[in-house]
Amino acid sequence: MARKKPATTHGIAVVDKPTGVTSHDVVGMLRRRFNERQVGHGGTLDPSATGVLVVAVGKATKLLRFVEKTKKAYLGEIVLGTETNTLDADGEITATHDMTGVTLEDAQLIVAEHFVGAIEQIPPMVSAIKIDGKRLHELAREGIEVDRPPRPVTIYSFQLMPTDEPHVFLAAVECSSGTYIRTLAADLGTLLGGGAHLRNLRRTAVGRFTIGEAQAPDHCELLPVEEAVRTLDRIDITRDLADLVANGRVLPAFEGDGPWALFDPDGLLVAVYEAFGGEAKPAVVVPQN
């Protein structure tokens, strides 16, 4: 079997994902654009959603998990009175409710009581989570619904604002990785005595990657590999220590909880270390050119 060609292009792209394409489609676009097979993304967006999708190329793909775990920010519209089978505007209507008596203040009170801090969510059937080896959205296409265990997530901020349409609220959410905004919308509708669905979802930030720097797949800039760890604590180390780190040396724990991004005197990322007991162990050692 022929060996895979080593990656020669490396970096991070902050993409403004357009509507109507999957996150995997965007990965394919960048594979073709950079002529590189080793490409991946840090956190799926639904086809109808837009906004920040962080894509790694070459050796930066080893660092994607540190992008995926970061806080996310979203804007979306919650439409009261209509439920769909996908919990968003792409699905078929399954129920309607008269919610004309519900006010923005009512919704804000429910959000403050039930949807801020540590909560649990039941993943939607249209998600990519696997149950017994099969993705939920694949089961949903077959008309199969299965029990899904609730998952813990954290909602750091959940603000509701009025729009020009009655009973349509603009939602601004900051949350942990793994949060389903469509589930927030549907659960809010239920607690308000009816139902709701989500539309026009846009991710505005993934950690410190923001919509202000995001660009279309055909025009996005390829940033240095080091940008993948911009949210981590930075540790500058000596040349001698960098040589040891490059060989996976276990070190005493640094200040803070980690992970820590270790940089050599030239400003190049050498490794990411994580806490293990009272020590710091290499999670990823970045190969140098």
Side-chain angles (χ1 to χ4, degrees):
M1 182 180 295
R3 291 185 178 181
K4 291 184 178 180
K5 177 185 173 183
T8 57
T9 302
H10 312 278
I12 289 287
V14 188
V15 177
D16 186 351
K17 188 190 88 66
T19 188
V21 298
T22 68
S23 298
H24 185 69
D25 290 336
V26 174
V27 167
M29 295 175 192
L30 267 63
R31 280 177 175 159
R32 292 187 293 273
R33 180 179 164 197
F34 295 117
N35 192 27
E36 192 63 71
R37 294 298 304 167
Q38 192 176 353
V39 180
H41 67 78
T44 302
L45 276 174
D46 294 327
S48 61
T50 65
V52 178
L53 184 71
V54 181
V55 180
V57 180
K59 61 187 177 183
T61 57
K62 295 178 177 290
L63 302 164
L64 272 176
R65 65 187 179 97
F66 302 108
V67 175
E68 293 171 335
K69 291 180 181 179
T70 55
K71 182 189 298 186
K72 311 293 194 302
Y74 297 89
L75 286 175
E77 294 175 340
I78 298 176
V79 183
L80 299 185
T82 307
E83 298 180 67
T84 74
N85 61 349
T86 59
L87 312 186
D88 66 8
D90 290 339
E92 298 178 1
I93 295 175
T94 58
T96 58
H97 308 268
D98 182 0
M99 300 180 70
T100 55
V102 175
T103 66
L104 175 61
E105 290 72 22
D106 294 332
Q108 289 170 331
L109 287 173
I110 292 294
V111 165
E113 185 175 353
H114 296 279
F115 295 110
V116 178
I119 67 170
E120 289 191 333
Q121 285 190 322
I122 296 177
M125 278 300 302
V126 291
S127 66
I129 293 173
K130 286 186 177 181
I131 298 290
D132 295 330
K134 199 158 188 178
R135 296 194 185 277
L136 288 178
H137 63 76
E138 295 173 346
L139 295 172
R141 283 199 296 268
E142 298 172 12
I144 300 172
E145 182 165 350
V146 297
D147 291 333
R148 290 95 68 199
R151 292 157 54 99
V153 297
T154 302
I155 310 300
Y156 302 105
S157 174
F158 188 169
Q159 296 178 303
L160 291 177
M161 294 154 280
T163 69
D164 293 335
E165 298 180 65
H167 303 101
V168 177
F169 301 142
L170 178 65
V173 180
E174 292 185 353
C175 55
S176 64
S177 177
T179 302
Y180 292 97
I181 309 302
R182 67 174 73 196
T183 300
L184 289 180
D187 290 348
L188 175 60
T190 300
L191 289 176
L192 286 169
H197 69 271
L198 181 72
R199 74 181 187 191
N200 297 331
L201 182 64
R202 184 161 176 77
R203 187 155 66 192
T204 57
V206 174
R208 294 180 185 171
F209 298 97
T210 66
I211 196 65
E213 63 183 315
Q215 297 175 300
D218 291 341
H219 301 97
C220 58
E221 180 183 359
L222 191 62
L223 304 173
V225 170
E226 287 72 22
E227 290 296 314
V229 296
R230 62 166 67 168
T231 60
L232 303 185
D233 292 335
R234 176 176 175 137
I235 305 293
D236 291 301
I237 58 177
T238 64
R239 180 74 62 196
D240 289 342
L241 186 54
D243 291 338
L244 297 176
V245 166
N247 289 305
R249 175 67 63 90
V250 175
L251 302 173
F254 301 99
E255 184 177 351
D257 299 326
W260 304 278
L262 277 57
F263 286 79
D264 70 13
D266 295 325
L268 297 177
L269 177 67
V270 182
V272 175
Y273 272 54
E274 292 181 316
F276 188 84
E279 298 178 321
K281 291 192 173 183
V284 176
V285 175
V286 180
Q288 303 301 311
N289 292 336

